[in-house]
Amino acid sequence: NAGVTQTPKFQVLKTGQSMTLQCAQDMNHNSMYWYRQDPGMGLRLIYYSASEGTTDKGEVPNGYNVSRLNKREFSLRLESAAPSQTSVYFCAGSDRPSYGYTFGSGTRLTVV
Amino acid sequence: AQSVTQLDSQVPVFEEAPVELRCNYSSSVSVYLFWYVQYPNQGLQLLLKYLSGSTLVKGINGFEAEFNKSQTSFHLRKPSVHISDTAEYFCAVSVDSGAGSYQLTFGKGTKLSVIP
């Protein structure tokens, strides 16, 4: 029962490097989301995808891009990492607003 | 747009004492309300949710929450806490716009520390 799987779990980047955070779900969710979690800030929405082939900006999209490759996969890309992007990133999936989300276990990213 | 305010960033409580974690929301339309728990170095897990009907909802691990529409609140309670309840708790709200696109808006979290 995998649910929502994120890779990698930990990553250290140098300023200016790029990387892609991967997220895959096997729950047939239509909607997928990327959030970042920072101390005292709660979870803030970066991007979301309401369905395969669509993506929309959330509250804090600057410095990120996303790809909804198919129904299962929703990746988050940092083109030129900055120390301000040091955070814990969560991917989530959902089918309806009344269902809530199923979360992945997170990716802890440090940019030095 | 909706918003969520968690009134306490940290709540210390002695083991076996009762606890209440407060949450207020604002929205111009009907909402769905959620409480999530995050144990250290883990993801978020759904505790309970309010969709409609009875204003008192029960969740996992002995937690319950009461929806109060007039006060726009959704406070989380437990009559007797255990050490294992030490975690961060997040209140969240979503609305169904009917347009097929929706998101959860989260509060900033409340850290519950249970003292032996």
Side-chain angles (χ1 to χ4, degrees):
Chain A
N1 55 341
V4 178
T5 302
Q6 292 183 235
T7 55
K9 293 190 182 303
F10 301 94
Q11 183 71 48
V12 179
L13 288 179
K14 293 182 178 179
T15 298
Q17 286 185 319
S18 62
M19 78 161 296
T20 300
L21 280 63
Q22 305 287 353
C23 176
Q25 51 101 359
D26 61 2
M27 305 181 72
N28 206 34
H29 289 314
N30 290 315
S31 299
M32 297 184 74
Y33 308 82
W34 277 105
Y35 283 83
R36 61 178 288 172
Q37 183 182 20
D38 302 290
M41 300 294 290
L43 280 81
R44 293 180 292 169
L45 182 64
I46 305 171
Y47 271 94
Y48 66 100
S49 170
S51 61
E52 183 180 351
T54 69
T55 60
D56 285 289
K57 294 178 180 180
E59 180 185 356
V60 288
N62 291 344
Y64 305 95
N65 284 301
V66 291
S67 295
R68 183 77 182 266
L69 305 172
N70 46 55
K71 191 170 186 178
R72 288 190 66 248
E73 298 172 287
F74 188 39
S75 61
L76 178 72
R77 182 160 178 83
L78 287 71
E79 291 291 351
S80 179
S84 61
Q85 295 177 303
T86 293
S87 187
V88 181
Y89 292 85
F90 286 100
C91 178
S94 181
D95 282 315
R96 299 183 183 186
S98 58
Y99 286 8
Y101 290 173
T102 302
F103 281 91
S105 58
T107 295
R108 188 174 295 273
L109 175 67
T110 301
V111 182
V112 298
Chain B
Q2 62 268 26
S3 66
V4 178
T5 302
Q6 291 184 243
L7 296 159
D8 304 295
S9 60
Q10 298 187 60
V11 174
V13 62
F14 286 104
E15 194 174 15
E16 298 184 4
V19 70
E20 179 180 81
L21 306 184
R22 297 180 293 168
C23 173
N24 287 92
Y25 69 93
S26 67
S27 175
S28 58
V29 298
S30 296
V31 298
Y32 303 118
L33 294 158
F34 305 83
W35 276 99
Y36 285 84
V37 59
Q38 184 181 33
Y39 299 105
N41 299 313
Q42 295 188 25
L44 279 78
Q45 178 183 0
L46 181 66
L47 262 182
L48 49 78
K49 60 183 177 182
Y50 172 79
L51 305 181
S52 64
S54 174
T55 58
L56 184 64
V57 293
K58 295 186 183 299
I60 61 172
N61 301 339
F63 283 93
E64 62 182 31
E66 186 161 17
F67 171 63
N68 187 317
K69 187 174 182 180
S70 62
Q71 297 187 7
T72 60
S73 67
F74 190 54
H75 300 334
L76 181 70
R77 302 186 183 104
K78 187 170 183 178
S80 176
V81 296
H82 301 137
I83 294 290
S84 59
D85 293 323
T86 294
E88 191 161 17
Y89 293 79
F90 292 93
C91 183
V93 61
S94 74
V95 298
D96 186 356
S97 65
S101 174
Y102 55 89
Q103 310 90 42
L104 281 181
T105 299
F106 288 85
K108 294 186 177 181
T110 298
K111 290 186 177 179
L112 174 64
S113 299
V114 180
I115 305 164

